[in-house]
Amino acid sequence: MDMTTMTATTGLATTDLATATGRATVQRRASYVPPNWFAAVMGTGIIAIAAHSLPWQPAGLAEVATVFWLLACTVFAAVLVATVRHWVRDPEIARGHHAHRVVAHFYGAVPMAIMTVGTSTMVVGATVIGRDLALGIDVVCWVIGTIGGVFTAVAIPYRHLIIGRPAVGAAFGGWLMPVVPPMVSASAAAVLTAQLPAGWASHGVMAIGGVMFVLAALASLPIMGVLAARLRTGDVGAAHMIPTWWIVLGPLGQSVTAACLLAHVSPQVVAAPMAGTLHSFAVGYGLTVWVAATLWIVVAARLTARTLRSGMPFAMTWWSFTFPLGTYVTGSSALALTVGGTVFEVVAVVGFTVLVVAWSVVAVRTVRGVVSGELLRAP
């Protein structure tokens, strides 16, 4: 082989290698879908649920709820397909998510997304697809989400917080993601109980909902304590992680929602004395935690405003602005239903308005990031 042929062959081989490497890189970027993408489903579906539960129901709100339910179902299908594609095309990267000290916690978004789709289908989609089909979908979603939520609430904190023993300086709001699903399950159980006939099924679902409430509350408390400790140090983390501080609002608002809804459906399941006890607990607990949630909004808003002024790059963590705020809206609506009071009605309506604005901003930025490919690049 002469020098010219050798050079040409070497150049061709180099070109082929570069092309192959480029294709592999494109493939890897195109299929990078970590579990936090399911937060987009949560943030979209919670608007449908919140719209349905608002104390004030102006003309057109039902149609808005239906649109967001359809959007949530569509986003869920798209993320699910993209996730499967990611696992098929880049299995090594996909398998590494559960070991990542940040990404792993967002596996909690998967069961919450499933239950959000189920509940929104029951309360909103039933008028479109029929009650029986909606109930069947809700039951399946609740069962899968509850089992998955228990798994994430136990396995992920055990691996990353107990065995891993991270420092306080590593704490971020996402630590709550795997332990919140059981609280979502408790709220979903209340919605499901109201749709089931009296008997063993409704009793069983409500009982499981109560157990999930306790599990989520016990798992959330120590994590919120560590987050409070980090906040006191003044070190709140990198700018793109600041939105995760809003996740603290999730277990607070969701627990108020769950306590009130479980108390609301209890008369059809348990005896009057027990129903009265649950109602008293819902009032006392709901009011106390709602005040704490309101104060936390002030803290999170100040952190966000300060970071925005200095520059806060867009990331999928911005979806933390949506679902947690949505739980505060549903919690306010549930309190309005349980104890009455104009203040809760007004707060729910104002919160819902802010929620829709926040969702609009985050959704537009997400679509832009997907189209440009920026959000699909593996770090």
Side-chain angles (χ1 to χ4, degrees), residues 47 64 68 325 351-361:
I47 295 183
V64 170
F68 276 96
L325 181 57
F352 180 77
T353 303
V354 175
L355 172 62
V356 173
V357 172
W359 179 90
S360 300
V361 173

Side-chain angles (χ1 to χ4, degrees), residues 127-263:
T127 59
V128 178
I129 64 176
R131 179 187 176 280
D132 291 343
L133 179 56
L135 179 59
I137 292 173
D138 192 20
V139 169
V140 172
C141 288
W142 182 75
V143 171
I144 294 174
T146 298
I147 295 173
V150 171
F151 178 79
T152 64
V154 174
I156 294 177
Y158 177 75
R159 171 169 184 167
H160 289 276
L161 303 185
I162 296 178
I163 295 180
R165 294 184 178 276
V168 172
F172 74 110
W175 279 11
L176 288 166
M177 287 293 289
V179 301
V180 177
M183 194 62 79
V184 176
S185 181
S187 298
V191 173
L192 191 54
T193 299
Q195 301 298 325
L196 295 173
W200 65 270
S202 59
H203 283 74
V205 170
M206 184 169 177
I208 293 173
V211 172
M212 292 298 102
F213 181 97
V214 174
L215 172 61
L218 293 178
S220 299
L221 280 175
I223 295 176
M224 287 193 285
V226 176
L227 291 173
R230 180 175 186 181
L231 188 62
R232 286 196 296 270
T233 67
D235 174 21
V236 292
H240 70 282
M241 297 298 288
I242 292 300
T244 66
W245 286 96
W246 285 85
I247 297 176
V248 177
L249 192 61
L252 299 177
Q254 195 67 51
S255 65
V256 173
T257 305
C260 291
L261 292 184
L262 286 171

